[in-house]
């Protein structure tokens, strides 16, 4: 089994450099290693509506706690496909050991998880980042079967791998790629959906994980607020504030962060596919009620004004 992947050479990272690179590509994680420096690679590329990350390393363990989860403004499902080496992925009480090329599993970024590797063998993976809202747009009560190993010889795995080969060979920005990426999302949903299962975030998550998942699922609704979050979860507003304060976080800031991240992704897609857009209209679509609040929040989160950021993206796009 092989994919048409961009060449990403192995590098030597000190721990701070590796942590920064992994954060830029996959979100916030903690890495544990017995080595002073890591040998690895981490790079991101996009095909249609999904992001692909090539991640390889010889660390002992990479973990994602509730603290790291709350620092990210976007939520994903990571479809992990093993390319080389062996990795053990654990989420909740479920564990998947990926030991053959093409073995895969699905990980929910709103839940704590652990990646373990034998550093003498290392691990090389293709991580497909699927925005959480794209899998949940068929209904909030959808639940997906995470951290279960799908063996490379299974029919579902063969189907996903074959579809990926075609998607990865498609021309960037083409209609074919757009349709293939959408079809891939439908295929992932069909393979990993838990038929008849109760929603994880409602039934069995801890409070903070529950709140983060609901925020990611509902933040773009026009009237979504802490009050609405309390209605959905059945928790009191004061209880919600206490939960966030325990992690030195703000619930309102979390809602704004998710909206800004979703705005960025939508803006990048519009520019990439040369579609018409208005900054104010996109801001309203992403849950902001007035443009002044949006501008202020965007500058705080991103470090520049929305128009300056838009001009930057356009220049980058034109350089290709």
């Amino acid at each position: 089994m092989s994919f048409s992947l961009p060449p990403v050479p192995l590098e030597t990272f000190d721990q701070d450099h590796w942590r920064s690179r992994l954060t830029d590509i996959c979100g916030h994680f903690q890495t544990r290693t017995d080595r002073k420096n890591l040998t690895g690679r981490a790079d991101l590329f996009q095909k249609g509506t999904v992001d692909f990350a090539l991640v390889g390393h010889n660390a002992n363990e990479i973990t994602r706690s509730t603290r790291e989860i709350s620092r990210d403004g976007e939520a994903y499902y990571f479809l992990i496909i093993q390319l080389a080496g062996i990795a053990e992925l654990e989420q909740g009480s479920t564990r998947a050991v990926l030991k053959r090329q093409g073995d895969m599993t699905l990980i929910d970024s709103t839940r704590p998880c652990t990646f373990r590797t034998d550093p003498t063998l290392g691990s090389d993976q293709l991580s497909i980042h699927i925005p959480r809202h794209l899998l949940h747009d068929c209904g909030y009560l959808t639940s997906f079967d995470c951290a279960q190993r799908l063996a490379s010889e299974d029919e579902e795995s063969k189907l996903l791998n074959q579809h990926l080969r075609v998607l990865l060979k498609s021309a960037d920005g083409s209609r074919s790629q757009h349709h293939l990426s959408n079809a891939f999302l439908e295929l992932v949903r069909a393979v990993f959906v838990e038929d008849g299962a109760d929603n994880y975030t409602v039934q069995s998550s801890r409070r903070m994980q529950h709140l983060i998942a609901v925020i990611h699922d509902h933040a773009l609704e026009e009237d979504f607020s802490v009050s609405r979050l309390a209605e959905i979860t059945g928790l009191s507003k004061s209880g919600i504030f206490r939960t966030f304060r325990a992690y030195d976080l703000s619930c309102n800031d979390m809602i704004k962060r998710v909206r800004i991240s979703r705005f960025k992704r939508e803006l990048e897609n519009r520019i990439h596919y040369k579609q018409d857009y208005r900054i104010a209209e996109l801001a309203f679509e992403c849950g902001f009620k007035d443009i002044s609040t949006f501008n202020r929040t965007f500058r705080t989160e991103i470090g520049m004004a929305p128009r300056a950021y838009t001009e930057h993206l356009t220049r980058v796009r034109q350089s290709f």
Side-chain angles (χ1 to χ4, degrees):
M1 185 210 72
S2 61
F3 296 116
S4 299
L5 302 173
V8 182
L10 291 172
E11 300 180 51
T12 300
F13 298 90
D14 62 39
Q15 293 191 38
D16 288 341
H17 186 195
W18 171 257
R19 188 182 302 111
S20 176
R21 177 71 70 85
L22 196 62
T23 297
D24 289 342
I25 291 172
C26 299
H28 289 84
F29 288 83
Q30 290 292 329
T31 301
R32 185 178 70 81
T33 177
D34 297 330
R35 303 164 185 261
K36 181 178 179 181
N37 295 313
L38 282 172
T39 300
R41 60 175 180 164
D43 201 19
L44 187 70
F45 61 99
Q46 189 177 44
K47 290 289 183 179
T49 54
V50 293
D51 293 333
F52 291 77
L54 282 169
V55 180
H57 61 86
N58 60 351
N60 297 69
E61 187 175 276
I62 295 177
T63 60
R64 183 169 166 84
S65 69
T66 300
R67 175 72 180 176
E68 277 80 53
I69 292 167
S70 64
R71 297 172 67 188
D72 287 335
E74 292 197 76
Y76 295 92
Y77 283 97
F78 299 137
L79 178 61
I80 309 293
I81 302 177
Q82 198 70 17
L83 300 177
I86 298 176
E88 176 185 286
L89 283 71
E90 183 177 321
Q91 189 157 67
S93 60
T94 309
R95 181 175 67 99
V97 178
L98 309 184
K99 53 188 177 181
R100 295 182 180 177
Q101 189 181 55
D103 284 358
M104 63 179 67
T105 192
L106 192 71
I107 296 293
D108 183 349
S109 79
T110 69
R111 295 168 55 189
C113 60
T114 301
F115 294 64
R116 298 187 183 93
T117 304
D118 181 345
T120 61
L121 299 175
S123 175
D124 208 18
Q125 297 174 333
L126 179 64
S127 177
I128 301 157
H129 300 178
I130 305 170
R132 181 184 173 88
H133 69 278
L134 293 183
L135 287 195
H136 282 270
D137 65 4
C138 59
Y140 175 62
L141 292 178
T142 303
S143 183
F144 295 97
D145 196 7
C146 292
Q148 297 281 356
R149 174 175 171 260
L150 195 61
S152 58
E153 62 269 20
D154 291 345
E155 289 303 317
E156 296 92 339
S157 181
K158 291 178 181 178
L159 183 61
L160 282 166
N161 282 324
Q162 182 58 38
H163 192 106
L164 277 175
R165 291 190 193 95
V166 178
L167 174 57
L168 288 166
K169 290 180 180 179
S170 62
D172 288 339
S174 65
R175 288 190 177 186
S176 175
Q177 184 180 88
H178 180 73
H179 291 308
L180 283 167
S181 64
N182 286 339
F184 175 73
L185 297 179
E186 291 293 337
L187 187 57
V188 170
R189 182 184 290 141
V191 169
F192 289 98
V193 70
E194 289 185 326
D195 292 324
D198 291 329
N199 184 277
Y200 174 89
T201 61
V202 173
Q203 296 296 328
S204 60
S205 75
R206 291 179 297 175
R207 179 174 292 187
M208 187 63 175
Q209 298 163 37
H210 182 185
L211 292 170
I212 290 171
V214 174
I215 287 172
H216 278 287
D217 285 342
H218 292 268
L220 269 62
E221 295 174 4
E222 182 180 357
D223 295 325
F224 187 75
S225 62
V226 178
S227 296
R228 178 64 179 139
L229 179 60
E231 290 178 13
I232 294 172
T233 61
L235 300 172
S236 67
K237 290 173 62 175
S238 59
I240 290 171
F241 288 133
R242 281 197 303 272
T243 300
F244 274 84
R245 277 200 301 270
Y247 292 89
D248 296 321
L249 296 167
S250 160
C251 183
N252 284 315
D253 287 348
M254 181 79 189
I255 293 171
K256 292 176 184 177
R257 189 178 304 125
V258 171
R259 287 171 170 169
I260 290 295
S261 293
R262 203 71 60 81
F263 170 88
K264 281 180 58 186
R265 172 171 286 275
E266 184 59 31
L267 178 65
E268 290 164 4
N269 284 336
R270 298 287 180 95
I271 292 175
H272 180 77
Y273 290 108
K274 299 180 180 179
Q275 297 174 341
D276 293 333
Y277 66 89
R278 290 179 178 272
I279 290 177
E281 290 178 357
L282 285 182
F284 295 147
E285 289 176 12
C286 292
F288 289 94
K289 293 184 178 181
D290 65 87
I291 199 65
S292 60
T293 300
F294 164 73
N295 286 333
R296 185 169 59 254
T297 304
F298 191 94
R299 186 183 290 275
T300 299
E301 290 289 326
I302 308 302
M304 65 175 73
R307 190 163 298 282
Y309 183 76
T310 301
E311 292 170 354
H312 165 72
L313 288 180
T314 303
R315 286 194 300 272
V316 171
R317 173 63 181 167
Q318 291 172 345
S319 68
F320 288 103

